[in-house]
Amino acid sequence: MATIFDKIIARELPADVVYEDELCLAFRDINPQAPVHVLLIPKKPLVDLADATAGDQALLGHLLLVAAKVADELGIGGAFRLNVNNGASAGQSVFHLHLHILGGRAFSWPPG
Ligand code: AMP
């Protein structure tokens, strides 16, 4: 089922895009939880991390490398948090895999 993120990839919905390549797209979260809060999504419609298979290994590695690059480009390369909510009870609300890239403030541990 198409999600709101598929519509952003297709440019049917607006987004504040900060990075794009042939495999992924990064855009600012509409409800930021930190001074920098970007969502990084694969263009492939994976539901969540549990939906990925061994065939997605290169894509998942690419996402991590791009996350660090985007963080650096947005000025938070020295300290940022990556978060993936996998499943509704873990906080996932959009069922298209996304990495939250958060920075610009201190973060506590454990997460809530
Ligand atoms: P999650 O709860 O992990 O599934 O994260 C979904 C995120 O998508 C939330 O942080 C929302 O604020 C964000 N979000 C939902 N709709 C949009 C949108 N149209 N543009 C940007 N971010 C969005």
Side-chain angles (χ1 to χ4, degrees):
M1 199 181 82
T3 69
I4 202 163
F5 292 171
D6 294 289
K7 292 182 180 165
I8 288 174
I9 292 167
R11 299 301 205 273
E12 292 167 11
L13 276 179
D16 186 355
V17 172
V18 297
Y19 177 87
E20 180 171 21
D21 64 26
E22 68 282 10
L23 295 175
C24 61
L25 183 71
F27 52 92
R28 294 188 192 274
D29 196 293
I30 204 167
N31 183 24
Q33 301 302 311
V36 176
H37 186 175
V38 164
L39 301 173
L40 174 60
I41 66 174
K43 291 184 175 176
K44 179 177 177 176
L46 293 169
V47 173
D48 55 21
L49 207 46
D51 190 33
T53 66
D56 297 310
Q57 183 168 326
L59 173 61
L60 296 178
H62 182 72
L63 290 173
L64 288 179
L65 291 172
V66 168
K69 178 184 161 93
V70 167
D72 191 48
E73 286 175 353
L74 295 179
I76 57 165
F80 60 92
R81 181 168 287 185
L82 279 187
N83 189 92
V84 177
N85 296 326
N86 190 107
S89 60
Q92 187 174 7
S93 61
V94 179
F95 292 89
H96 181 122
L97 175 63
H98 50 282
L99 282 64
H100 294 260
I101 306 169
L102 299 134
R105 67 168 171 87
F107 296 98
S108 59
W109 192 264

